[in-house]
Amino acid sequence: MTMATNRRSLLLGSAGLAAGLATPWVSRAQALKSEYKLSVVGNRPIPLSEGAFQWAELVTERTQGRINVKVYPGSQLVGGDQTRELLAMRQGVIDMTVSSTINLSPQIREMTLFSMPFLMPGHRAFDALINGEPGRDLFQVLAQREVVPLAWGENGFREISNSRRPIRTPEDLRGLKIRFAAGAIFADIYNALGANPVQMSFADLQPALSTGAVDGQENPINLFLAFKMDTLAQRHLTVWNYCADAGIFHVAKGVWESFSKADQEIVAESAKEAARRQIAAARKGIGDGDRSSFDELAKRNVAVVELSDAEKQAFARATRSVFDTWASRIGADLVRKAEAAIKAVA
């Protein structure tokens, strides 16, 4: 009797243990939400936003709808304030984002690396950062904020436009009201150049340009064209590549951990593919034998000034004190790694 009872208990216990071991997998499968919210600033067709839509489409398709991702453009889940996306992810309001490093920098000072004035002369330098030790270090920093970074993307080098005059020297910026998105470093840069920096969200930018509340703005060429800023009195555009807008595809840690290993692989590989497409889109029409974006600017009667290396150096000298100040705030070691990575591909 006792032996039978013990045997029955052992069998029941083994069955219970097996069920217990299976439970986490079953729970994860059953815990999938009906919708996963992906936030991004702006909207199609700008590359940063396009990358978010493509990521969502790839994940939804490759999981046959089990992971149903919906994009909320214009940072609408945070009232249009793109700098609040990271906090909203940590609070569970947002599940996934394609974030600009500029919008992350107010919360994570290391992300300001890509906003350092005249650090990166071109795309080879940008690639050296995202694919090298600086990019890995920044992902480790981000991972400490309850999110899982999956891929580096790009929205493009940021150029400056205005409604009043060509900008070829630092003196040409004096007195101009220039909008910037986020990050105290931009206020420091434009103050050093004698301009009047004005911070505002992207949602507020277009009406501010149309009413003349600000004279100019700084954004990639692809965004200038997509949002027809030439119709908002932006008749002068200067190509100076003073900083770049990197993108990061990431997922809230709790959401990531709720996925099975197979689904994690799908989400990650989809992010990497969307990021590759995003980078290609950001660079289309502005070089490497394709200048179609410049042709389009000419058709719209936008006066374009492309600064020479010597002309860029004048701006770099004028903002050097800003560079040095922010190098200490970001982390001197990180900045040294970035400079070394760029020098290696120069």
Side-chain angles (χ1 to χ4, degrees), residues 34 44 113 167 205 226 257 261 328 340:
S34 60
R44 277 173 157 166
L113 180 68
I167 296 172
L205 172 59
E257 292 177 344
K261 292 294 183 183
S328 62

Side-chain angles (χ1 to χ4, degrees), residues 36-55:
Y36 288 86
K37 294 178 171 62
L38 196 167
S39 180
V40 67
V41 64
N43 206 339
R44 277 173 157 166
I46 65 172
L48 193 75
S49 304
E50 185 65 39
F53 279 96
Q54 292 193 12
W55 185 22

Side-chain angles (χ1 to χ4, degrees), residues 29-303:
Q30 292 176 340
L32 289 176
K33 300 181 186 180
S34 60
E35 175 187 292
Y36 288 86
K37 294 178 171 62
L38 196 167
S39 180
V40 67
V41 64
N43 206 339
R44 277 173 157 166
I46 65 172
L48 193 75
S49 304
E50 185 65 39
F53 279 96
Q54 292 193 12
W55 185 22
E57 290 161 5
L58 288 170
V59 171
T60 302
E61 176 186 341
R62 290 172 178 178
T63 61
Q64 298 179 320
R66 287 184 299 102
I67 300 178
N68 175 39
V69 184
K70 180 179 178 182
V71 180
Y72 288 82
S75 302
Q76 60 186 273
L77 296 175
V78 286
D81 184 355
Q82 59 262 37
T83 65
R84 293 173 51 212
E85 286 178 330
L86 178 62
L87 176 60
M89 284 186 76
R90 299 179 70 181
Q91 292 174 334
V93 176
I94 294 172
D95 301 305
M96 309 159 75
T97 68
V98 178
S99 298
S100 159
T101 47
I102 290 173
N103 296 327
L104 289 169
S105 62
Q107 291 82 41
I108 305 176
R109 67 180 186 279
E110 290 89 347
M111 293 297 170
T112 309
L113 180 68
F114 293 93
S115 303
M116 293 286 279
F118 303 97
L119 170 66
M120 298 163 288
H123 290 123
R124 283 172 59 83
F126 178 88
D127 291 344
L129 296 192
I130 65 172
N131 295 323
E133 193 173 359
R136 292 190 291 273
D137 286 353
L138 289 171
F139 267 19
Q140 290 177 0
V141 170
L142 191 56
Q144 297 170 4
R145 303 299 181 98
E146 299 299 313
V147 296
V148 179
L150 300 176
W152 282 105
E154 179 186 346
N155 203 35
F157 275 87
R158 300 179 78 84
E159 320 301 0
I160 188 167
S161 71
N162 80 98
S163 60
R164 296 180 52 187
R165 55 180 175 262
I167 296 172
R168 196 176 284 278
T169 69
E171 289 71 26
D172 294 329
L173 268 162
R174 294 195 180 280
L176 293 183
K177 292 177 287 185
I178 304 296
R179 173 266 181 182
F180 69 97
I185 189 172
F186 290 100
D188 290 349
I189 290 169
Y190 286 102
N191 279 325
L193 293 171
N196 297 322
V198 181
Q199 182 177 359
M200 65 176 62
S201 71
F202 186 76
D204 293 331
L205 172 59
Q206 288 168 292
L209 291 174
S210 63
T211 62
V214 294
D215 299 310
Q217 58 85 48
E218 48 81 57
N219 261 306
I221 290 176
N222 63 69
L223 189 147
F224 182 100
L225 289 171
F227 287 94
K228 300 179 179 178
M229 290 188 177
D230 52 292
T231 66
L232 302 174
Q234 298 299 284
R235 310 308 307 171
H236 302 281
L237 175 69
T238 293
V239 178
W240 61 345
N241 287 11
Y242 86 118
C243 72
D245 196 0
I248 300 178
F249 292 65
H250 49 160
V251 181
K253 184 178 179 181
V255 171
W256 177 256
E257 292 177 344
S258 73
F259 295 151
S260 68
K261 292 294 183 183
D263 283 343
Q264 287 178 352
E265 184 174 346
I266 290 172
V267 172
E269 287 305 312
S270 297
K272 291 172 185 174
E273 182 172 334
R276 287 192 294 270
R277 296 180 188 179
Q278 184 187 73
I279 290 172
R283 299 179 184 183
K284 184 178 180 181
I286 58 172
D288 294 328
D290 177 10
R291 287 179 58 86
S292 55
S293 291
F294 288 96
D295 294 339
E296 180 61 27
L297 288 166
K299 287 179 184 177
R300 299 187 190 184
N301 296 316
V302 177

Side-chain angles (χ1 to χ4, degrees), residues 313-332:
Q313 282 303 310
F315 287 91
R317 287 191 297 271
T319 56
R320 185 65 205 190
S321 62
V322 177
F323 187 104
D324 293 339
T325 296
W326 278 91
S328 62
R329 293 177 185 174
I330 293 169

